Each structure stands twice: as structure tokens, then as C-alpha cells.
Amino acid sequence: MSQTIIARRYADALFQLGQEHLKLEQLETELRELQEVFRNNEQLYTFLKHPRISVDQKKQLIHKSFLSYSAEVVNTLKLLVDRHREDIISEMITHFLTMMSDAKGVAEADVYSVRELSKSEKKRISETFAPKVGKRSLNLNNIVDPSILGGIRVRIGNRIFDGSVSGKLSRMERKLVSANKR
């Protein structure tokens, strides 16, 4: 079974637990923090994957490190350690956060622009593009890319909306080249 499927199953189980105990918002907050911890602390991941460190020592570290976290999150981490699935922790968190976004009607989007966008510009982009993908709003990640020359390029999932000057120029070039071949 692939790691993605396994990670999704753990995320589904944690999501269901959160629904049953009415803790989805708390779990989301904790998992976002946990995602940052794993992203910024390679030693933690290395420790959890190390074969010479006993499962009990790994579980003790999880228990002591995440005392302020809910029992659901801590027990899920311990279960993953018990089953030697430490390598799917980040992927499981990503799946859980995606499920939360879907439940809220929110999608993640990358917006490429020549300069950093203001809050009002981000709000207008969210309001414009969210309905196009069937969502209520978008969490925007602004990526400054001078190569687009002007305008914006929005990537939501596997859909790309290209309103950049460089995109328009390349489409114009393709039209001209194809017209000349006829």
C-alpha cells in the first residue's frame, strides 16, 4: 500500500475523531504548528526514524515535547511511531489540513506577481477566483516572480489562470507561429 493512501487513512481517522469530539479547529491549529515543527527541526524527524532508538524512547519524547497538544494528536503520533510510520507524519498532516480546507470551503492558491500584493488586492483576487473553483474563499500564497513582466498568474490545485503579460505574449507568439505555418 502506498504511503499516500496510508497517510490519508490516518488523516481521515483523526478528522473523524475531531468531528466526534468537536475539536476540529483545535486539531487544525495544533497540526499547523506541528507541521512547522517538523519543517524546521530535522533532528526531530531523524530521531524518530533512527533504528537504534527504542519505540518507548520515541514515545516519551513525543509525550514530553507536545504536552500542550490534545490527546488525539499526541496519541496519533505515538501510534505512527508504534507502527514505524514516522515517515508519513508530514503527509498525514497535509491531508488533514486539506480536509479542513475542503470542509470550510477554502482552497489553497499560489499567486505569482511582479511585486508583493497588498491585503486589498489579495482579498479581491480571492473573491474573484474562489467561485470559479467552487469555494467560498482562497488562502493565497503570494510568490514574487519578475519573469511574468506584469499581471498575475493564479494556481489553484491543478488549475492555472494566467493573466500575466508573459503568458499573453507567449499565447500571441503561438498564434502568430501557427498562422505562419498555414
Side-chain angles (χ1 to χ4, degrees):
M1 198 176 316
S2 82
Q3 299 287 55
T4 302
I5 293 170
I6 295 166
R8 190 170 285 136
R9 286 186 178 174
Y10 281 97
D12 288 341
L14 189 57
F15 190 83
Q16 287 175 356
L17 267 175
Q19 282 179 317
E20 289 171 11
H21 296 119
L22 304 173
K23 288 184 167 183
L24 281 176
E25 297 295 324
Q26 178 186 352
L27 294 180
E28 179 184 21
T29 303
E30 291 176 3
L31 289 175
R32 283 193 191 282
E33 290 173 11
L34 194 62
Q35 189 175 43
E36 285 301 310
V37 168
F38 275 95
R39 208 178 270 151
N40 297 327
N41 193 345
E42 283 293 318
Q43 292 103 347
L44 175 62
Y45 187 71
T46 305
F47 180 86
L48 292 176
K49 287 294 296 171
H50 201 284
R52 289 198 177 162
I53 299 172
S54 73
V55 171
D56 287 334
Q57 287 175 309
K58 294 174 185 179
K59 286 165 69 173
Q60 274 182 338
L61 176 78
I62 289 170
H63 182 76
K64 289 178 182 174
S65 299
F66 304 110
L67 280 173
S68 63
Y69 284 56
S70 65
E72 292 85 358
V73 169
V74 173
N75 289 337
T76 300
L77 291 174
K78 288 180 180 179
L79 183 64
L80 290 169
V81 167
D82 268 339
R83 297 193 176 162
H84 304 287
R85 301 252 188 232
E86 301 90 351
D87 51 335
I88 68 164
I89 291 173
S90 292
E91 197 170 353
M92 184 269 303
I93 292 170
T94 301
H95 284 300
F96 182 91
L97 296 176
T98 301
M99 291 171 67
M100 279 300 295
S101 293
D102 287 345
K104 291 178 179 178
V106 177
E108 299 292 321
D110 291 329
V111 180
Y112 299 86
S113 62
V114 178
R115 60 173 174 75
E116 189 70 31
L117 298 171
S118 69
K119 286 188 180 201
S120 64
E121 289 170 326
K122 287 180 181 179
K123 185 177 183 230
R124 280 200 323 260
I125 291 169
S126 177
E127 290 168 352
T128 303
F129 287 97
K132 292 182 181 196
V133 292
K135 300 292 181 184
R136 282 188 270 164
S137 68
L138 300 174
N139 281 339
L140 299 179
N141 176 28
N142 188 200
I143 300 166
V144 176
D145 181 5
S147 71
I148 65 169
L149 304 176
I152 61 168
R153 182 180 300 140
V154 181
R155 190 180 131 275
I156 307 167
N158 60 358
R159 294 180 71 182
I160 297 174
F161 301 92
D162 192 352
S164 66
V165 173
S166 65
K168 289 177 183 176
L169 287 172
S170 67
R171 285 190 295 277
M172 219 185 291
E173 178 186 30
R174 282 194 302 266
K175 282 182 183 177
L176 289 171
V177 169
S178 67
N180 287 337
K181 288 185 179 180
R182 291 182 191 171

